Amino acid sequence: MNIRTVGIIGAGTMGNGIAQACAVSGIDVIMVDISDAAIGKGLAAVAGSLDRLLKKEKISEADKAAALARIKTSTRYDDFKTAQLVIEAATENYELKLKILKQADALLAPEVIIASNTSSISVTKLAAATSRADRFLGMHFFNPVPMMALVEIIRGLQTSDATHDAVKALSEKLGKSPITVKNAPGFVVNRILVPMINEAFFVLAEGLATPEDIDAGMKLGCNQPIGPLALADMIGLDVCLAVMDVYLTEFGDCKYRPCPLLKELVAAGRLGRKTGQGVYSY
Protein backbone atom coordinates (compact mmCIF):
# COMPACT_ATOMS: atom_id res chain seq x y z
CA MET A 1 0.00 0.00 0.00
CA ASN A 2 1.28 3.45 -0.92
CA ILE A 3 0.40 5.78 1.96
CA ARG A 4 -0.12 9.29 0.61
CA THR A 5 -2.45 10.75 3.26
CA VAL A 6 -2.23 10.19 7.03
CA GLY A 7 -5.01 10.93 9.50
CA ILE A 8 -3.95 11.84 13.02
CA ILE A 9 -6.22 11.67 16.06
CA GLY A 10 -4.99 14.24 18.56
CA ALA A 11 -3.32 17.62 18.04
CA GLY A 12 -1.27 17.51 21.25
CA THR A 13 2.50 17.21 21.56
CA MET A 14 2.78 13.85 19.81
CA GLY A 15 -0.02 14.42 17.32
CA ASN A 16 1.23 17.76 16.04
CA GLY A 17 4.80 16.42 15.97
CA ILE A 18 3.72 13.48 13.79
CA ALA A 19 1.75 15.90 11.59
CA GLN A 20 4.86 18.04 11.10
CA ALA A 21 7.06 15.05 10.28
CA CYS A 22 4.57 13.86 7.67
CA ALA A 23 3.94 17.27 6.12
CA VAL A 24 7.65 18.14 5.82
CA SER A 25 8.15 14.81 4.02
CA GLY A 26 5.44 15.51 1.44
CA ILE A 27 2.65 13.47 3.06
CA ASP A 28 -0.80 15.05 3.28
CA VAL A 29 -2.21 15.19 6.82
CA ILE A 30 -5.69 15.38 8.32
CA MET A 31 -5.34 16.28 12.02
CA VAL A 32 -8.46 15.82 14.16
CA ASP A 33 -9.13 16.85 17.73
CA ILE A 34 -12.22 17.49 19.85
CA SER A 35 -12.22 21.29 19.57
CA ASP A 36 -11.07 24.13 17.35
CA ALA A 37 -9.04 25.45 20.29
CA ALA A 38 -7.07 22.19 20.56
CA ILE A 39 -6.49 22.18 16.81
CA GLY A 40 -5.37 25.82 16.84
CA LYS A 41 -2.89 25.08 19.61
CA GLY A 42 -1.54 22.12 17.64
CA LEU A 43 -1.12 24.12 14.44
CA ALA A 44 0.60 26.90 16.36
CA ALA A 45 3.06 24.36 17.75
CA VAL A 46 3.85 23.12 14.23
CA ALA A 47 4.31 26.67 12.95
CA GLY A 48 6.59 27.49 15.88
CA SER A 49 8.68 24.39 15.31
CA LEU A 50 9.00 25.17 11.60
CA ASP A 51 10.04 28.73 12.46
CA ARG A 52 12.88 27.37 14.59
CA LEU A 53 14.04 25.19 11.68
CA LEU A 54 13.81 28.23 9.41
CA LYS A 55 16.03 30.29 11.73
CA LYS A 56 18.58 27.47 11.74
CA GLU A 57 18.38 27.44 7.91
CA LYS A 58 17.28 23.77 7.93
CA ILE A 59 14.25 24.68 5.76
CA SER A 60 13.22 27.58 3.52
CA GLU A 61 10.15 29.84 3.68
CA ALA A 62 8.75 27.86 0.76
CA ASP A 63 9.29 24.57 2.65
CA LYS A 64 7.48 25.97 5.67
CA ALA A 65 4.54 27.21 3.61
CA ALA A 66 4.28 23.91 1.73
CA ALA A 67 4.34 21.87 4.95
CA LEU A 68 1.62 23.96 6.62
CA ALA A 69 -0.50 23.75 3.45
CA ARG A 70 -0.41 19.94 3.64
CA ILE A 71 -2.03 19.90 7.10
CA LYS A 72 -5.82 19.97 7.04
CA THR A 73 -7.78 20.01 10.29
CA SER A 74 -11.17 18.87 11.49
CA THR A 75 -13.18 17.88 14.54
CA ARG A 76 -14.83 14.95 12.68
CA TYR A 77 -13.50 11.46 11.99
CA ASP A 78 -15.61 11.48 8.82
CA ASP A 79 -12.95 13.69 7.25
CA PHE A 80 -10.45 10.83 7.28
CA LYS A 81 -12.04 9.50 4.08
CA THR A 82 -8.94 10.18 1.93
CA ALA A 83 -6.45 8.65 4.41
CA GLN A 84 -4.74 5.30 3.91
CA LEU A 85 -3.42 5.31 7.49
CA VAL A 86 -4.89 6.78 10.68
CA ILE A 87 -2.63 7.22 13.71
CA GLU A 88 -4.19 7.53 17.16
CA ALA A 89 -2.08 9.87 19.30
CA ALA A 90 -4.29 10.40 22.35
CA THR A 91 -3.31 10.40 26.03
CA GLU A 92 -1.81 7.14 27.37
CA ASN A 93 -5.09 5.87 28.83
CA TYR A 94 -6.49 2.48 27.80
CA GLU A 95 -10.20 3.32 28.12
CA LEU A 96 -9.78 6.58 26.18
CA LYS A 97 -7.82 4.89 23.41
CA LEU A 98 -10.39 2.10 23.23
CA LYS A 99 -13.24 4.59 22.82
CA ILE A 100 -11.39 6.54 20.11
CA LEU A 101 -10.31 3.46 18.19
CA LYS A 102 -13.82 1.96 18.16
CA GLN A 103 -15.27 5.24 16.85
CA ALA A 104 -12.63 5.54 14.13
CA ASP A 105 -12.87 1.87 13.17
CA ALA A 106 -16.62 2.17 12.59
CA LEU A 107 -16.17 5.08 10.17
CA LEU A 108 -13.07 4.13 8.20
CA ALA A 109 -13.04 2.14 4.97
CA PRO A 110 -12.07 -1.53 5.54
CA GLU A 111 -8.69 -1.23 3.82
CA VAL A 112 -7.45 1.67 5.98
CA ILE A 113 -4.64 0.84 8.42
CA ILE A 114 -4.97 2.03 12.02
CA ALA A 115 -1.89 2.62 14.17
CA SER A 116 -1.65 3.58 17.82
CA ASN A 117 1.16 5.76 19.12
CA THR A 118 0.85 4.02 22.49
CA SER A 119 4.06 3.82 24.50
CA SER A 120 3.04 0.94 26.78
CA ILE A 121 -0.45 -0.50 26.14
CA SER A 122 -0.88 -3.91 24.49
CA VAL A 123 -1.23 -3.52 20.73
CA THR A 124 -2.80 -6.98 20.51
CA LYS A 125 -5.48 -5.94 23.01
CA LEU A 126 -6.21 -2.66 21.21
CA ALA A 127 -6.32 -4.42 17.83
CA ALA A 128 -8.86 -6.96 19.11
CA ALA A 129 -11.29 -4.10 19.84
CA THR A 130 -11.42 -3.21 16.12
CA SER A 131 -12.78 -4.98 13.05
CA ARG A 132 -9.35 -4.87 11.34
CA ALA A 133 -6.90 -6.54 13.71
CA ASP A 134 -4.72 -7.59 10.75
CA ARG A 135 -4.51 -3.92 9.67
CA PHE A 136 -3.66 -2.60 13.13
CA LEU A 137 -0.26 -2.06 14.76
CA GLY A 138 1.69 0.20 17.07
CA MET A 139 3.62 3.10 15.58
CA HIS A 140 5.48 4.56 18.54
CA PHE A 141 7.17 7.88 17.78
CA PHE A 142 9.49 9.58 20.25
CA ASN A 143 9.31 13.14 21.55
CA PRO A 144 10.17 15.56 20.01
CA VAL A 145 8.90 13.77 16.91
CA PRO A 146 10.48 16.06 14.28
CA MET A 147 13.95 15.55 15.82
CA MET A 148 13.93 11.92 16.98
CA ALA A 149 14.89 9.31 14.39
CA LEU A 150 13.36 6.24 16.04
CA VAL A 151 9.95 4.72 15.38
CA GLU A 152 9.04 1.46 17.11
CA ILE A 153 6.75 -0.57 14.86
CA ILE A 154 4.92 -2.94 17.17
CA ARG A 155 3.30 -6.01 15.68
CA GLY A 156 0.25 -7.31 17.47
CA LEU A 157 -0.45 -11.03 17.31
CA GLN A 158 -2.80 -10.38 14.38
CA THR A 159 -0.80 -7.77 12.39
CA SER A 160 -0.27 -8.82 8.75
CA ASP A 161 3.05 -8.61 6.92
CA ALA A 162 1.52 -6.21 4.40
CA THR A 163 0.44 -3.83 7.18
CA HIS A 164 3.86 -3.94 8.80
CA ASP A 165 5.67 -3.39 5.49
CA ALA A 166 3.48 -0.44 4.48
CA VAL A 167 4.05 1.35 7.79
CA LYS A 168 7.78 0.58 7.75
CA ALA A 169 8.03 2.09 4.26
CA LEU A 170 6.18 5.21 5.41
CA SER A 171 8.46 5.55 8.45
CA GLU A 172 11.48 5.48 6.17
CA LYS A 173 9.88 8.05 3.88
CA LEU A 174 9.56 10.31 6.93
CA GLY A 175 13.32 10.03 7.40
CA LYS A 176 12.92 7.81 10.46
CA SER A 177 14.80 4.65 11.42
CA PRO A 178 12.14 2.07 12.32
CA ILE A 179 12.74 -1.01 14.45
CA THR A 180 10.28 -3.91 14.54
CA VAL A 181 9.17 -5.03 17.99
CA LYS A 182 6.95 -7.79 19.33
CA ASN A 183 4.01 -6.83 21.49
CA ALA A 184 4.87 -6.63 25.22
CA PRO A 185 4.30 -3.93 27.86
CA GLY A 186 6.57 -0.98 27.11
CA PHE A 187 7.94 -2.69 23.99
CA VAL A 188 11.75 -2.15 23.91
CA VAL A 189 12.81 1.43 24.61
CA ASN A 190 10.33 2.33 27.36
CA ARG A 191 10.68 -1.12 28.92
CA ILE A 192 14.27 -0.12 29.69
CA LEU A 193 13.93 3.67 29.96
CA VAL A 194 10.95 4.26 32.27
CA PRO A 195 12.10 1.90 35.05
CA MET A 196 15.44 3.76 34.91
CA ILE A 197 13.58 7.05 35.35
CA ASN A 198 11.57 5.52 38.20
CA GLU A 199 14.81 4.43 39.88
CA ALA A 200 16.13 7.99 39.58
CA PHE A 201 13.08 9.12 41.60
CA PHE A 202 13.89 6.53 44.28
CA VAL A 203 17.46 7.88 44.41
CA LEU A 204 16.08 11.42 44.74
CA ALA A 205 13.53 10.40 47.40
CA GLU A 206 16.27 8.73 49.45
CA GLY A 207 18.26 11.96 49.41
CA LEU A 208 21.34 10.38 47.84
CA ALA A 209 21.94 13.44 45.64
CA THR A 210 20.27 16.58 44.34
CA PRO A 211 18.26 16.44 41.11
CA GLU A 212 21.03 18.39 39.37
CA ASP A 213 23.72 15.97 40.52
CA ILE A 214 21.66 12.89 39.65
CA ASP A 215 21.16 14.20 36.12
CA ALA A 216 24.79 15.33 35.82
CA GLY A 217 25.94 11.89 36.94
CA MET A 218 23.94 10.10 34.27
CA LYS A 219 24.92 12.58 31.56
CA LEU A 220 28.64 12.49 32.35
CA GLY A 221 28.88 8.87 33.49
CA CYS A 222 26.58 7.22 30.93
CA ASN A 223 26.89 9.69 28.06
CA GLN A 224 23.16 10.45 28.10
CA PRO A 225 22.22 13.74 26.40
CA ILE A 226 19.72 14.57 29.14
CA GLY A 227 19.44 13.34 32.71
CA PRO A 228 16.58 11.01 33.74
CA LEU A 229 14.80 13.56 35.96
CA ALA A 230 14.92 16.30 33.32
CA LEU A 231 13.74 13.72 30.79
CA ALA A 232 10.84 12.78 33.07
CA ASP A 233 9.82 16.44 33.15
CA MET A 234 9.95 16.51 29.34
CA ILE A 235 7.92 13.29 28.94
CA GLY A 236 5.44 14.24 31.67
CA LEU A 237 5.51 12.76 35.15
CA ASP A 238 1.92 11.58 34.71
CA VAL A 239 2.95 9.62 31.61
CA CYS A 240 5.89 8.04 33.45
CA LEU A 241 3.57 7.02 36.29
CA ALA A 242 0.96 5.62 33.90
CA VAL A 243 3.60 3.49 32.17
CA MET A 244 4.93 2.12 35.48
CA ASP A 245 1.36 1.28 36.53
CA VAL A 246 0.91 -0.67 33.28
CA TYR A 247 4.12 -2.62 33.94
CA LEU A 248 3.13 -3.42 37.51
CA THR A 249 -0.30 -4.64 36.40
CA GLU A 250 0.82 -6.58 33.32
CA PHE A 251 3.97 -8.19 34.71
CA GLY A 252 2.81 -8.52 38.32
CA ASP A 253 6.40 -7.94 39.42
CA CYS A 254 7.12 -5.61 42.35
CA LYS A 255 10.28 -4.33 40.65
CA TYR A 256 7.93 -2.12 38.59
CA ARG A 257 6.44 -0.43 41.69
CA PRO A 258 6.17 3.34 40.99
CA CYS A 259 8.23 5.48 43.33
CA PRO A 260 6.00 7.15 45.97
CA LEU A 261 7.67 10.51 45.23
CA LEU A 262 6.68 10.22 41.56
CA LYS A 263 3.09 9.50 42.64
CA GLU A 264 3.15 12.43 45.05
CA LEU A 265 4.37 14.90 42.42
CA VAL A 266 1.67 13.76 40.00
CA ALA A 267 -0.99 14.09 42.72
CA ALA A 268 0.22 17.66 43.30
CA GLY A 269 -0.20 18.47 39.60
CA ARG A 270 3.55 18.91 39.13
CA LEU A 271 3.72 17.07 35.81
CA GLY A 272 6.84 18.64 34.32
CA ARG A 273 7.37 21.13 31.51
CA LYS A 274 3.71 21.13 30.45
CA THR A 275 2.59 22.48 33.83
CA GLY A 276 5.65 24.67 34.46
CA GLN A 277 6.86 22.57 37.36
CA GLY A 278 7.92 18.97 37.92
CA VAL A 279 11.24 17.98 39.42
CA TYR A 280 12.45 21.35 38.09
CA SER A 281 10.69 24.69 37.59
CA TYR A 282 10.19 26.11 34.07
Side-chain angles (χ1 to χ4, degrees):
M1 176 186 287
N2 181 24
I3 298 172
R4 302 174 305 280
T5 302
V6 172
I8 300 170
I9 301 173
T13 301
M14 296 305 293
N16 68 59
I18 296 167
Q20 178 181 327
C22 290
V24 166
S25 301
I27 303 294
D28 289 331
V29 174
I30 304 154
M31 186 167 65
V32 168
D33 211 314
I34 57 172
S35 69
D36 290 335
I39 290 167
K41 190 175 179 181
L43 280 176
V46 173
S49 179
L50 292 173
D51 280 337
R52 289 190 291 275
L53 292 174
L54 186 61
K55 286 180 182 177
K56 294 177 182 177
E57 299 184 345
K58 299 284 183 70
I59 61 171
S60 66
E61 282 282 5
D63 293 333
K64 176 190 170 184
L68 289 173
R70 291 188 188 103
I71 303 174
K72 309 299 181 191
T73 61
S74 175
T75 56
R76 292 159 37 87
Y77 292 167
D78 290 347
D79 291 327
F80 285 144
K81 54 184 176 290
T82 59
Q84 292 81 43
L85 166 69
V86 171
I87 303 171
E88 170 271 311
T91 303
E92 193 71 355
N93 177 285
Y94 173 69
E95 295 299 333
L96 175 63
K97 286 185 183 292
L98 202 63
K99 179 182 176 183
I100 288 170
L101 291 170
K102 284 183 175 180
Q103 288 175 342
D105 179 53
L107 293 169
L108 296 173
E111 67 275 10
V112 176
I113 296 170
I114 300 180
S116 175
N117 184 53
T118 180
S119 57
S120 64
I121 297 170
S122 170
V123 169
T124 296
K125 192 173 179 181
L126 291 173
T130 75
S131 64
R132 63 190 79 215
D134 61 322
R135 291 180 300 288
F136 189 101
L137 44 56
M139 193 177 187
H140 181 210
F141 291 84
F142 288 76
N143 187 32
V145 177
M147 307 302 294
M148 298 294 280
L150 181 64
V151 175
E152 284 183 317
I153 300 176
I154 303 103
R155 299 189 66 147
L157 188 64
Q158 318 92 318
T159 306
S160 71
D161 290 342
T163 297
H164 167 270
D165 294 348
V167 170
K168 182 181 179 183
L170 173 68
S171 300
E172 290 168 346
K173 187 172 182 179
L174 300 184
K176 304 301 183 186
S177 299
I179 62 172
T180 299
V181 179
K182 290 182 180 179
N183 183 61
F187 318 126
V188 169
V189 175
N190 281 347
R191 171 77 173 273
I192 299 166
L193 176 67
V194 181
M196 182 197 74
I197 290 172
N198 191 55
E199 195 64 26
F201 276 97
F202 274 114
V203 170
L204 178 62
E206 291 166 19
L208 298 184
T210 64
E212 292 80 5
D213 282 352
I214 291 168
D215 280 350
M218 293 303 291
K219 287 166 67 178
L220 298 173
C222 298
N223 204 29
Q224 295 183 351
I226 183 172
L229 298 173
L231 180 58
D233 277 352
M234 183 181 292
I235 293 168
L237 271 58
D238 54 333
V239 176
C240 294
L241 177 58
V243 171
M244 289 305 298
D245 282 337
V246 168
Y247 294 170
L248 186 62
T249 300
E250 294 295 324
F251 290 116
D253 190 328
C254 64
K255 75 178 182 180
Y256 296 113
R257 178 174 67 95
C259 176
L261 175 60
L262 175 60
K263 296 170 75 171
E264 187 79 355
L265 289 169
V266 171
R270 291 175 55 174
L271 308 182
R273 287 179 178 268
K274 60 188 172 186
T275 60
Q277 193 170 21
V279 176
Y280 300 100
S281 296
Y282 300 91

